[in-house]
Amino acid sequence: MKRIMKRIIQIQKVDLDTAGAAFLLEVTREDKVEAVRGDASPADITDVNTVCIECGGSGDWHLNCWDHHKAGGPEDSAVMQVWKHLNNLRDRSEEYPLVNYINQLDTQPQALPAYGQVEFPTLSDCFAGMLLTERNPVEQLHKGVEFLAKVIETGQDPFGTIEGF
């Protein structure tokens, strides 16, 4: 995939959806990442060289804007929007279980197994622990991307117990 990013803008609060979208978009530590409070500027949202993840856009993939929090916007989480777009470009089926887990957690948490039905730690538990130990949102994003890459690399079941972290 051709990398067109100059900047990544993400909401002040990093969550699994934000990190999942950044993971699929192959955000690395070489990318310039900015944490914004509130929405990104209209200029950033319409600049295709700026990737906006959950910071005020409408989910317009052609603008590199991934969000689902605006009225009338997409129902899919940001990570599912990115996955659907990228999967149309090349097969990314190996990432679908992770994307599906994050999408359900973000949009339909009641559909996930009830707490206690999966042994500790879950994917969400591990991610939440990282957020507690790292306070810088830019570093949270990078660590989240690296964590999700390791989940895929080690073949972990996102709906099961996460081991080795």
Side-chain angles (χ1 to χ4, degrees):
M1 177 171 91
K2 182 181 173 196
R3 294 183 47 96
I4 60 170
M5 297 174 238
K6 290 183 182 172
R7 293 190 297 150
I8 309 297
I9 296 184
Q10 52 117 32
I11 201 164
Q12 65 179 349
K13 179 183 174 284
V14 175
D15 61 11
L16 268 168
D17 191 26
T18 308
F23 164 70
L24 292 178
L25 291 167
E26 301 176 355
V27 173
T28 69
R29 290 183 179 273
E30 287 75 42
D31 291 307
K32 181 178 179 182
V33 176
E34 295 178 4
V36 297
R37 296 199 182 271
D39 291 348
S41 73
D44 283 333
I45 289 173
T46 58
D47 178 358
V48 297
N49 292 311
T50 298
V51 177
C52 296
I53 304 172
E54 291 204 307
C55 57
S58 59
D60 292 326
W61 63 266
H62 60 283
L63 295 175
N64 243 341
C65 190
W66 313 95
D67 199 347
H68 65 111
H69 295 288
K70 293 291 183 186
E75 291 183 17
D76 286 333
S77 64
V79 70
M80 184 61 80
Q81 291 171 43
V82 173
W83 185 85
K84 284 180 175 180
H85 173 66
L86 295 179
N87 200 53
N88 287 331
L89 301 176
R90 70 173 176 86
D91 180 25
R92 299 186 65 131
S93 55
E94 74 281 356
E95 297 160 338
Y96 184 74
L98 176 66
V99 170
N100 188 31
Y101 174 84
I102 295 170
N103 186 63
Q104 284 188 31
L105 183 66
D106 205 59
T107 63
Q108 307 168 345
Q110 70 280 3
L112 291 172
Y115 191 74
Q117 289 181 328
V118 177
E119 285 189 43
F120 180 85
T122 65
L123 183 83
S124 181
D125 294 328
C126 292
F127 192 83
M130 179 277 295
L131 293 177
L132 288 173
T133 59
E134 179 57 59
R135 295 296 200 197
N136 180 308
V138 172
E139 190 60 21
Q140 286 176 337
L141 184 75
H142 289 306
K143 286 184 175 184
V145 166
E146 292 160 359
F147 167 66
L148 296 176
K150 195 73 159 170
V151 168
I152 293 292
E153 180 183 305
T154 59
Q156 303 272 346
D157 174 8
F159 290 89
T161 301
I162 301 298
E163 299 180 13
F165 288 93

